[in-house]
Amino acid sequence: MTTRNRRYVDLSTTEVADVLSEDSILVLPTGAVEPHGPHLPLATDLVMAEALGAELVARGAAAGHDVWLMPALAYTKSDEHARLPGTMWLTAETLLHTLVDLGRSIAATPARRLLFVNCHGGNSALLEVALRELRQRFDLQTFLYSGPPRAGETERGFGIHAGHVETSMMLHVRPDLVDMTKAVRAVPVSIADARYVGFGKPVRFGWLADDFHESGVVGDALHANAGQGAEYFGETVDTVVAALDEIAAFDPGRVRALRDTTQP
Amino acid sequence: MTTRNRRYVDLSTTEVADVLSEDSILVLPTGAVEPHGPHLPLATDLVMAEALGAELVARGAAAGHDVWLMPALAYTKSDEHARLPGTMWLTAETLLHTLVDLGRSIAATPARRLLFVNCHGGNSALLEVALRELRQRFDLQTFLYSGPPRAGETERGFGIHAGHVETSMMLHVRPDLVDMTKAVRAVPVSIADARYVGFGKPVRFGWLADDFHESGVVGDALHANAGQGAEYFGETVDTVVAALDEIAAFDPGRVRALRDTTQP
Amino acid sequence: MTTRNRRYVDLSTTEVADVLSEDSILVLPTGAVEPHGPHLPLATDLVMAEALGAELVARGAAAGHDVWLMPALAYTKSDEHARLPGTMWLTAETLLHTLVDLGRSIAATPARRLLFVNCHGGNSALLEVALRELRQRFDLQTFLYSGPPRAGETERGFGIHAGHVETSMMLHVRPDLVDMTKAVRAVPVSIADARYVGFGKPVRFGWLADDFHESGVVGDALHANAGQGAEYFGETVDTVVAALDEIAAFDPGRVRALRDTTQP
Amino acid sequence: MTTRNRRYVDLSTTEVADVLSEDSILVLPTGAVEPHGPHLPLATDLVMAEALGAELVARGAAAGHDVWLMPALAYTKSDEHARLPGTMWLTAETLLHTLVDLGRSIAATPARRLLFVNCHGGNSALLEVALRELRQRFDLQTFLYSGPPRAGETERGFGIHAGHVETSMMLHVRPDLVDMTKAVRAVPVSIADARYVGFGKPVRFGWLADDFHESGVVGDALHANAGQGAEYFGETVDTVVAALDEIAAFDPGRVRALRDTTQP
Amino acid sequence: MTTRNRRYVDLSTTEVADVLSEDSILVLPTGAVEPHGPHLPLATDLVMAEALGAELVARGAAAGHDVWLMPALAYTKSDEHARLPGTMWLTAETLLHTLVDLGRSIAATPARRLLFVNCHGGNSALLEVALRELRQRFDLQTFLYSGPPRAGETERGFGIHAGHVETSMMLHVRPDLVDMTKAVRAVPVSIADARYVGFGKPVRFGWLADDFHESGVVGDALHANAGQGAEYFGETVDTVVAALDEIAAFDPGRVRALRDTTQP
Amino acid sequence: MTTRNRRYVDLSTTEVADVLSEDSILVLPTGAVEPHGPHLPLATDLVMAEALGAELVARGAAAGHDVWLMPALAYTKSDEHARLPGTMWLTAETLLHTLVDLGRSIAATPARRLLFVNCHGGNSALLEVALRELRQRFDLQTFLYSGPPRAGETERGFGIHAGHVETSMMLHVRPDLVDMTKAVRAVPVSIADARYVGFGKPVRFGWLADDFHESGVVGDALHANAGQGAEYFGETVDTVVAALDEIAAFDPGRVRALRDTTQP
């Protein structure tokens, strides 16, 4: 099948009915329009989600998966950046309603599998809520890949926004949109030393992008480079492509019917 | 200024603060993902809105306007197509909330002018509601171009969806997505003869895309051709580009201050 | 049938079940309670909608139509007047919810046709949204007459609020509520000269009633007179009464069944 | 002051600013459009609320009160009648939003006192919620008269809907809308004997109009007569008119300032 | 059956299916977390609702009723206390949505009867709205006891909050949480003399807890004592326990089937 | 300070103003009322959250922290159990609104730190959304501990619900509510073998409690025992108590002021 046919919106309505089936996997990239420091564009997460989604669908289709790329959601939940210039943000409720409306719409097609490819950390929790909401209300099988990896070596676990990884990946994907002369390092050192409170630690916390540094950056972009960006991007795509086999086969009903839950 | 700089999301947060001003005009294309008969893709309105927005911003910038292209809204209010395969639709409330959230976000930038470039008729009324909502709540100057022209010669005023105009324009902009062998004519003749009830007539009416024809088409695509599509597209762009002068200068406060409303 | 029987709310519940049928047309006037300059009452649109609805139903019934007058909605979407004293306004959402609730209620009666008779321009877009919402959710046939004509000769297309037409009609219908000694002219001349942005022009815009003139008037009431008011009122009623034939017969399903959409 | 001036909507916007003050009392009648048995019209509560409101304002103004009649809310919370033909009902939320919007609007006028005159029992609880909502959010002084008296002699406390009192009052106010040949008696005898569960008893309960009798009537209309209706109506008006003195003077702030709460 | 078994949440899911039936009565206590003057804890209404609910279920079960205690709602509608320190309040809408969600959940169990035991007056009106909402939407039989008695002898009908009755009952139930050295008397004398406006009088009014006295108290706690508290508590429990017979038997459908509504 | 004083609701309103400060930490346990297999009560998560909260506050206060226990939220987001008997669930929106209302309320007290102690996995994502919502809207410092550890040795990572850990802990805390004769093993073996899709794996997925096994159990309760339960409980409490130091000191503003984000 051609590339054209892998873009959901390039199908006609009659093709949707003919070509899609319960085995089809719809891929919905979710980006953001929000500050990424003085060196990266507002579009960073959107660029990444679209690149990742496109590559995933191209390689997935090549590997025989019935996978379709949907238009990305550009405007999402960026309330943590509301105090910095340029942010376009939806409230949690508006985004949840959008996802519910899309779930209802998808449930009216023959497809039953939806994979979110998310490149904005601020969306993750709400997308998890949506995974269940769409599973419960519309009986869809829902999946979420939220990536890429979140910290480089010099970031002490705090490279979550406009830091080493994101900057490197942008240098790989869209170097024309990066201005490394303005790259900053903004790692909240004292918090990074915390044992209990922090990203991936027992106690999570609410934060705003400018809580730590006035640039809104949380990470160290100084050592970013296209080479590592290519690696990060490649690994990320590899992971999600590899996951497609399991996503396509994931079927709790079959699990339950086989009663393989009760074996020792 | 380069093309890059005319895409709002290619700006960094610091550039937003530096480059935008109260004279800036943000251009937000609104498309749709919905059936357009067996011969056109679901993306038709989205393709058109993005093409129109891009051309408008390019020519507007060339003419000296401080105009910026925002990412299009792909998923919008397509409830009239809910019964046909493939439609991705937001409820009126979800779309209104999205527009309000974007208005609030824009009001936090230096820009104060927002122009919707809409290519899905089903959005027009809600966008008009939003024009006022954003004017009243966020003190933005809001504008809406909703086009292109709606009927060809053989359509008796009913060429509003996937008919002559839209099909011709798609043949101009994205011929690879059109399959003219499947084009249909579906003009509701008896209703077209109505004197009072109809599009542009004294009495408007609620309708669903499949009320008239099972294809969801309302119009006659049989005679569509790229030549006329180019003309329609060109005229449409010309109109909106020409309107930019007035949009940029539109200022009721000045009108009121000058008291030019009271002159005979 | 007597006049009494043409007021929906004068029916008993048993009469609703007995007398209404799928051919019945319910007429719902929508007015407003909002400033209309120093010379007209807040009730202007409400007075007009009720007068128009009553006359329409009387003449429609006399002509054999199964038409019923519902109590008018007095409080509607007047957010453009929120900054002027006296306005009673519902948000877009509250009014939409009200209309949806009424649609749900009507769908539980035998009637299937609903005609809004609207005399407040600020309601038009939202009523158009409602036309579709009620068509889609409750399978009602929905219609909207939004009038009367919007500009007199001296108004250069900007006689939309408390100007020549509305003032003249009030002088005809309720002269006791008009104080012509306070009539104003407030035509935004420079905007009237605009070619692209304006009422009925390619680019619509969001506005507030006091954007142009501190009185909230948009038009020229100085030359209003009862004679022309009678003409406007008569023409308006004539138009809607004449439309009843088409409204009563409007049936897309029949159109579709007859396949008259596909004839050349 | 003339009658004209006592209708809020007959004021112009300039009059609202000039004539109203913090001592003004706005009177908002709330009716319903809902079944009242086979002998009464759907409009019963609306007729009653409008009659009561008009009489109250006329007599209140004559007694020197600065009291103003607003257009009645015709469509309200009649969900208990949703299963019977003809009901037009708003959900609890829609009505609450409507009341909040009106409260916000009133708070933008010089007036600070709002009196609901309610003749539909199904609105009472929600109006009580609104009393506080408008007091807390908009700092209005809010009042509710919900009447008239609820049971005649033969009704054993269950004359709450379309029974003796309502039917008698309609025979007084609008006899042309009553058909006594269809009057019914529908008193739920066994429940009337209950000691703990019932209207005005320690345990309240949720009910629908057709829980007790298929007519939706709860009461005994057989002995209704215009004479008693006149008495009920007169007593009701007398009560609310007499209450105006206290409503006009009610001022917790003054109470608090005087510290008369702490005297023994 | 043991005490354990009378706590709804101590059941397992399989027990819910086995043990509950359409005769079961679920008891839901509703308290509040809000100021009760300087002498009582924020928890006053919650303590009372839980004590009353526990006693009711214990004695009801002992008397053979199939009655179950649910976890109390601690946080409810305390907007009238929003201006005083410590209040935890839900909006009217949040509480209504909570009650609707619980109603939907209960409707999915075998039980069909729900009794609210409410000890916060500020919840009463909204709970009445919920009684109908749950009756209409989920076909539950719903009941509300809202107590205890509201005024002591020295309170002139204004002992509604933190006054004689509540303080006495707390001295009985949780004396460790009462500090009588800080008890106040705050009876709004002039309002108590009102004939028409007031609690239990023809005209109800919206109020905030600090409208009358800066302590937020409305009543006279000076003479509170555990002995009377025990009496009030005992009488309250006696009343609701006695009501269980009627609550268990309350069945409008049976009433209607027996047509006992039509007997003289 | 005594135990009494550590329960927030045992404070009076005057004590709230006097005793709380910006250093106070409010602890809000969040449980659930939902199926936990045939061997555990619906209350399992609620029991656990209340026990954990109480122990945390007792030990935290003993260690000198200004920590306060709030009443637990019993009814929360259990939509994944909606198809099994006994579940009491709030929608995502109702719970979010509840949390926002509580955040608004807390922001009106002197306290500025809120720690959720959550024992229902189904709440985690929404609580994360709330962490930010309350941080952004009310400027609270918000924290979330969501525990306890999720899988025993025989569960292959799938001991997330009513399995080894939860059952063991209940045997420690409330053995009277556990019926080990009904304990089940329900580990979805084939899914446990998945490499990419699963709990703690790169791709998350939406699931319902009965997707895997009709009991709704996901885990292996067969080897649960009180001894290990005591260990799990102790470790959990130890962790959160130890975290209090960091929670009390967490202050991004200080971090930012010190500019320690920019050090290498």
Side-chain angles (χ1 to χ4, degrees), chain B residues 93 97 128 135 142 144 185 187 189-190 195-197 204 206-207 210-211 213 246 256 260-261 263, chain C residues 93 97 128 135 142 144 185 187 189-190 195-197 204 206 210-211 214 246 256 260-261 263:
Chain B
E93 285 188 82
H97 292 171
E128 281 200 66
R135 174 91 196 88
T142 51
L144 166 65
R185 168 177 165 81
V187 176
V189 178
S190 63
R195 183 169 165 192
Y196 297 101
V197 180
R204 283 167 274 184
W207 53 278
D210 56 338
D211 270 350
H213 192 263
E246 293 180 6
R256 184 171 163 177
D260 77 349
T261 55
Q263 295 143 22
Chain C
E93 285 188 83
H97 291 172
E128 280 200 67
R135 174 90 196 87
T142 51
L144 167 65
R185 167 177 165 83
V187 176
V189 178
S190 64
R195 183 169 164 191
Y196 298 100
V197 179
R204 282 166 278 184
D210 55 338
D211 270 349
E214 67 273 15
E246 293 180 5
R256 184 171 163 177
D260 77 349
T261 56
Q263 294 143 22

Side-chain angles (χ1 to χ4, degrees), chain B residues 24-61:
Chain B
S24 303
I25 302 169
L26 300 190
V27 175
L28 179 54
T30 52
V33 176
E34 67 181 28
H36 278 76
H39 63 296
L40 290 178
L42 300 173
T44 298
D45 294 343
L46 177 59
V47 166
M48 215 49 64
E50 289 186 326
L52 182 52
E55 191 73 10
L56 165 66
V57 166
R59 286 182 46 189

Side-chain angles (χ1 to χ4, degrees), chain C residues 87-188:
Chain C
T87 313
M88 295 287 128
W89 61 285
L90 305 187
T91 67
E93 285 188 83
T94 301
L95 182 54
L96 184 56
H97 291 172
T98 298
L99 297 170
V100 166
D101 288 352
L102 291 179
R104 184 187 300 111
S105 298
I106 291 169
T109 73
R112 310 239 67 71
R113 289 169 195 274
L114 172 64
L115 169 61
F116 294 105
V117 173
N118 176 49
C119 291
H120 168 45
N123 289 335
S124 296
L126 197 81
L127 286 169
E128 280 200 67
V129 172
L131 288 183
R132 174 150 297 147
E133 198 86 8
L134 273 55
R135 174 90 196 87
Q136 201 246 335
R137 293 176 62 170
F138 308 118
D139 205 19
L140 298 178
Q141 301 291 350
T142 51
F143 304 90
L144 167 65
Y145 175 81
S146 197
R150 300 184 81 176
E153 290 177 19
T154 63
E155 298 180 317
R156 309 180 65 172
F158 269 72
I160 58 163
H161 189 73
H164 183 70
V165 175
E166 283 191 327
T167 307
S168 295
M169 288 176 78
M170 282 298 282
L171 284 169
H172 168 62
V173 177
R174 287 293 305 273
D176 58 310
L177 297 180
V178 186
D179 181 350
M180 282 301 288
T181 68
K182 296 184 176 157
V184 296
R185 167 177 165 83
V187 176

Side-chain angles (χ1 to χ4, degrees), chain A residues 93 97 128 135 142 144 185 187 189-190 195-197 204 206 210-211 214 246 256 260-261 263, chain F residues 93 97 128 135 142 144 185 187 189-190 195-197 204 206 210-211 214 246 256 260-261 263:
Chain A
E93 285 187 83
H97 292 171
E128 281 200 66
R135 174 91 196 86
T142 51
L144 166 65
R185 167 177 165 81
V187 175
V189 178
S190 63
R195 184 168 165 193
Y196 297 100
V197 179
R204 281 166 278 183
D210 55 338
D211 270 350
E214 66 273 14
E246 293 179 6
R256 185 171 162 177
D260 76 350
T261 55
Q263 294 144 22
Chain F
E93 284 188 83
H97 292 172
E128 280 200 66
R135 174 92 195 87
T142 51
L144 167 64
R185 167 177 165 82
V187 176
V189 178
S190 64
R195 182 168 165 193
Y196 297 100
V197 179
R204 283 166 277 183
D210 56 338
D211 270 349
E214 66 272 15
E246 293 180 6
R256 184 171 162 177
D260 77 349
T261 57
Q263 295 142 21

Side-chain angles (χ1 to χ4, degrees), chain D residues 210-221:
Chain D
D210 56 337
D211 270 349
F212 308 114
H213 192 263
E214 67 272 14
S215 68
V217 171
V218 185
D220 176 4

Side-chain angles (χ1 to χ4, degrees), chain E residues 4, chain F residues 39-41 167 170-171 174-180:
Chain E
R4 177 217 150 176
Chain F
H39 62 297
L40 290 178
T167 307
M170 282 298 282
L171 283 169
R174 288 292 305 273
D176 59 309
L177 296 180
V178 186
D179 182 350
M180 282 300 289

Side-chain angles (χ1 to χ4, degrees), chain F residues 2 12 31 64 96 129 189 200 233:
Chain F
T2 70
S12 72
L96 184 56
V129 172
V189 178
F233 188 75

